[in-house]
Amino acid sequence: MEAWRCVRRGYGRCVVGRGRYPMLPYHQKSLGRDWTTPWENLQKCCWNRHISSCMRWPGHYSRAPYPYFSSRHFSLNWRPPCLFESRAPFQYWNWRPDSLSQTSLIHLSSYIMNSEGDEPSSKRRKHQGTIQRHWEYICNHNKENTKILGDENVDPICEDSENKFDFSVMSYNILSQDLLEDNSHLYKHCRRPVLHWSFRFPNILKEIKHFDADVLCLQEVQEDHYGTEIRPSLESLGYHCEYKMRTGRKPDGCAICFKHSKFSLLSVNPVEFYRRDVPLLDRDNVGLVLLLQPKIPSAASPAICVANTHLLYNPRRGDIKLTQLAMLLAEISSVAHQKDGSFCPIVMCGDFNSVPGSPLYSFIKEGKLNYEGLAIGKVSGQEQSSRGQRILSIPIWPPNLGISQNCVYEVQQVPKVEKPDGDLMQTELDKAEVLETAEKLSSNLQHHFSLSSVYSHYFPDTGIPEVTTCHSRSAITVDYIFYSAEKEGVAEQPGAEVALVGGLKLLARLSLLTEQDLWTVNGLPNENNSSDHLPLLAKFRLEL
């Protein structure tokens, strides 16, 4: 690896391993992310030195670092024109390094993996093109009633009237530029130009314009870009924007934007997951909860609560993830609570850094979780092994957080005593202490919302997982749109539809893709999709 690092940086190492000298001093040509140099330069500078033994010829040195020629670039029966430029005939059935002419160019590719080995062949595809996503209409279950994105983006089933209100919601992690640059190892498959913000933002804005959602829930919104480009651009499209930056020194945050023509703003409620007085909560993630009033003729229309968050990534800190989620649910409960004791319709979006079927995901959908004996690394399902990981403590968070196991804000209550009798007062205090201890020792989490996922996370015909994020290291689902609805039945098979009544009715959703689909366009980001996440989009109906 040291030899390869030297090649990339343009210098070599002496045979004794001390000191460095220029290895490719001149005549280097840039080919996108790659470099070429005349063969005589490389031969002159490093032939007969240890770097030459690292060169990989067909059939030899399979684990050696760059520079190399391997079957990935060509076989012994095929010569790609991009690797060599030579006036001399190329005898590729019996060639040796010294058969290269003095005008030949050696290809020094910067597209290579780490010491763990080359990337799977599926990640080497360089096909250009656009991914095809279509609308899946849920309410009538008609597979023929789909709309390819290339068609006119008009939904015939979305309309407003006095007895119903239709609206669309997009959730989109747009990939903060600072985070992209800090985690460049995740984007080795990308050409450098597609990673520049000047290239990415127009693409992101184009997607937002195309889908024309009534509500946008955006994650990884970088503060400086939000102020100078994102908010002005969205406001010019008719959106009102609210933003909550992460605490500490983190440069990004969450934004909720909604169209003036569809909603009026009732309240803005930011949620900071960092708490100085709670050692567990030492991370800078945030959430944002808005209460929106639909603009419709009916004066009795309920408000809609929209929440957006980006939970902690760390796969081994499920205790923090669950606590952050409980804090968000407590805020939603406070905002969405109505005078009659019920809750207004809820849409909860975001990057939850948890996979479908994980304990955290199941807690959101089922409204309950018994975490006794659960390893902290198993909460999000991002890691399969729980070896060496401690078990979640009971309770997970301390009492001074002020949130109960039902994920609501606790109200401090003083025991009521009718008479100032000493024994009676002590008895009441003992009862209160017993109740408090039982609450603390409970390993059961609950919430009072009936939440469903817009997506089923598997393709019904094949059972292949849907993917919402794809980069050099993984391709999984971590992004969701949850909404409040009454469940009439539970689907037993992956990908099967769930019939929903009451609350919000899901009308349609924008289809997701498989990992294989995404690698046919070189994964994410690419020339047309400028985040490592796909935008999620759903259309709802509120019955009045």
Side-chain angles (χ1 to χ4, degrees):
M1 287 305 295
E2 175 63 22
W4 162 228
R5 284 193 293 267
C6 293
V7 170
R8 287 199 65 179
R9 295 169 185 170
Y11 52 74
R13 291 194 62 178
C14 298
V15 178
V16 296
R18 296 178 181 176
R20 291 171 173 169
Y21 57 89
M23 193 175 73
L24 303 176
Y26 53 89
H27 300 306
Q28 297 183 50
K29 296 181 180 180
S30 174
L31 296 176
R33 295 186 60 206
D34 303 339
W35 291 87
T36 62
T37 187
W39 170 252
E40 67 271 20
N41 292 350
L42 187 66
Q43 188 176 32
K44 184 184 304 180
C45 295
C46 65
W47 197 249
N48 293 329
R49 295 186 173 94
H50 84 285
I51 184 65
S52 64
S53 66
C54 293
M55 303 187 73
R56 189 192 303 178
W57 309 109
H60 301 280
Y61 307 113
S62 62
R63 298 184 63 186
Y66 275 31
Y68 73 84
F69 305 110
S70 74
S71 59
R72 171 181 156 189
H73 292 111
F74 59 91
S75 68
L76 292 178
N77 296 319
W78 180 71
R79 173 196 169 199
C82 62
L83 289 179
F84 300 95
E85 298 175 3
S86 175
R87 299 189 184 94
F90 189 79
Q91 304 297 325
Y92 45 83
W93 58 85
N94 187 27
W95 67 276
R96 291 172 52 83
D98 55 7
S99 69
L100 300 178
S101 71
Q102 295 300 304
T103 58
S104 298
L105 297 178
I106 182 171
H107 182 258
L108 303 180
S109 175
S110 61
Y111 176 77
I112 192 59
M113 289 291 93
N114 50 35
S115 58
E116 296 175 358
D118 292 348
E119 283 190 345
S121 59
S122 63
K123 296 187 180 181
R124 299 179 193 147
R125 299 171 182 169
K126 297 294 181 180
H127 300 167
Q128 303 243 347
T130 58
I131 55 179
Q132 294 292 324
R133 301 177 67 185
H134 60 270
W135 283 106
E136 299 173 343
Y137 295 104
I138 307 301
C139 58
N140 53 14
H141 306 283
N142 185 0
K143 291 185 179 180
E144 295 181 356
N145 188 16
T146 59
K147 190 178 295 293
I148 303 299
L149 292 188
D151 299 341
E152 186 179 359
N153 189 21
V154 177
D155 184 1
I157 62 174
C158 280
E159 56 185 18
D160 296 341
S161 68
E162 292 186 359
N163 58 357
K164 61 179 179 289
F165 176 76
D166 294 355
F167 65 101
S168 57
V169 177
M170 174 191 282
S171 181
Y172 196 4
N173 183 327
I174 64 173
L175 181 57
S176 160
Q177 189 66 24
D178 280 5
L179 292 178
L180 182 155
E181 294 170 4
D182 290 344
N183 298 276
S184 58
H185 61 282
L186 300 178
Y187 312 106
K188 291 182 178 180
H189 62 284
C190 302
R191 295 192 307 110
R192 289 186 186 274
V194 306
L195 299 179
H196 296 158
W197 178 249
S198 59
F199 179 89
R200 294 177 53 232
F201 178 63
N203 269 357
I204 293 171
L205 188 61
K206 181 180 178 181
E207 283 185 292
I208 292 175
K209 286 181 179 179
H210 178 80
F211 293 124
D212 196 31
D214 299 316
V215 179
L216 305 175
C217 292
L218 306 178
Q219 304 89 42
E220 291 193 22
V221 180
Q222 193 163 305
E223 184 193 27
D224 55 345
H225 295 155
Y226 173 75
T228 59
E229 297 175 81
I230 298 174
R231 184 177 63 184
S233 298
L234 294 180
E235 287 178 344
S236 69
L237 297 177
Y239 289 98
H240 173 90
C241 302
E242 294 291 340
Y243 177 70
K244 174 57 183 174
M245 184 180 172
R246 284 206 283 170
T247 53
R249 297 182 178 179
K250 300 299 187 297
D252 65 291
C254 295
I256 300 180
C257 312
F258 61 89
K259 285 192 173 180
H260 291 287
S261 59
K262 297 284 285 190
F263 299 96
S264 58
L265 181 63
L266 297 181
S267 68
V268 180
N269 308 274
V271 185
E272 294 184 356
F273 298 142
Y274 173 81
R275 288 282 297 269
R276 184 176 300 177
D277 57 333
V278 180
L280 173 68
L281 297 173
D282 59 351
R283 308 305 166 94
D284 296 312
N285 306 83
V286 295
L288 185 60
V289 182
L290 266 57
L291 191 63
L292 303 178
Q293 181 67 51
K295 289 184 176 180
I296 50 179
S298 175
S301 64
I304 298 175
C305 180
V306 179
N308 183 24
T309 192
H310 189 177
L311 298 185
L312 177 70
Y313 165 76
N314 192 336
R316 301 190 177 187
R317 293 308 305 267
D319 51 347
I320 299 179
K321 291 175 189 275
L322 279 174
T323 306
Q324 291 180 346
L325 176 61
M327 296 173 72
L328 180 67
L329 292 172
E331 187 64 29
I332 293 173
S333 178
S334 175
V335 173
H337 190 268
Q338 300 184 112
K339 294 180 180 179
D340 61 358
S342 63
F343 296 100
C344 69
I346 297 166
V347 178
M348 184 171 70
C349 304
D351 181 343
F352 290 82
N353 275 315
S354 302
V355 302
S358 65
L360 187 144
Y361 172 88
S362 299
F363 173 52
I364 294 175
K365 286 195 65 177
E366 299 173 8
K368 59 183 179 180
L369 173 67
N370 186 346
Y371 59 86
E372 183 176 5
L374 180 63
I376 60 175
K378 290 286 189 179
V379 170
S380 65
Q382 295 164 282
E383 289 191 348
Q384 299 301 316
S385 174
S386 59
R387 183 178 60 181
Q389 296 178 357
R390 63 177 178 85
I391 303 301
L392 286 169
S393 61
I394 302 177
I396 299 176
W397 56 81
N400 64 321
L401 181 59
I403 295 176
S404 72
Q405 299 292 290
N406 292 328
C407 298
V408 296
Y409 291 124
E410 289 181 322
V411 178
Q412 297 295 331
Q413 295 183 350
V414 179
K416 295 181 179 180
V417 181
E418 294 182 0
K419 298 180 180 180
D421 184 276
D423 295 335
L424 181 58
M425 181 178 291
Q426 186 62 45
T427 301
E428 293 294 332
L429 290 174
D430 290 341
K431 288 181 180 180
E433 185 176 353
V434 169
L435 291 174
E436 186 179 358
T437 302
E439 168 76 1
K440 286 181 179 180
L441 296 179
S442 174
S443 61
N444 293 300
L445 292 181
Q446 291 182 326
H447 68 77
H448 302 297
F449 312 123
S450 177
L451 297 176
S452 297
S453 173
V454 163
Y455 291 91
S456 53
H457 315 307
Y458 298 89
F459 288 89
D461 298 333
T462 62
I464 296 176
E466 297 172 334
V467 167
T468 68
T469 180
C470 179
H471 50 65
S472 294
R473 291 288 180 89
S474 67
I476 55 175
T477 286
V478 293
D479 307 279
Y480 304 93
I481 300 177
F482 296 103
Y483 65 103
S484 58
E486 301 253 338
K487 295 181 182 179
E488 191 176 79
V490 179
E492 296 180 357
Q493 299 297 328
E497 301 293 349
V498 178
L500 301 170
V501 294
L504 293 174
K505 179 183 292 184
L506 177 62
L507 298 179
R509 64 192 176 201
L510 189 64
S511 65
L512 288 173
L513 303 168
T514 66
E515 178 180 4
Q516 184 177 4
D517 293 333
L518 289 173
W519 282 117
T520 61
V521 291
N522 200 37
L524 298 173
N526 55 51
E527 281 75 5
N528 298 295
N529 309 93
S530 287
S531 174
D532 57 350
H533 292 248
L534 292 173
L536 279 56
L537 190 60
K539 297 182 178 180
F540 298 103
R541 172 166 293 169
L542 174 63
E543 301 285 355
L544 304 176

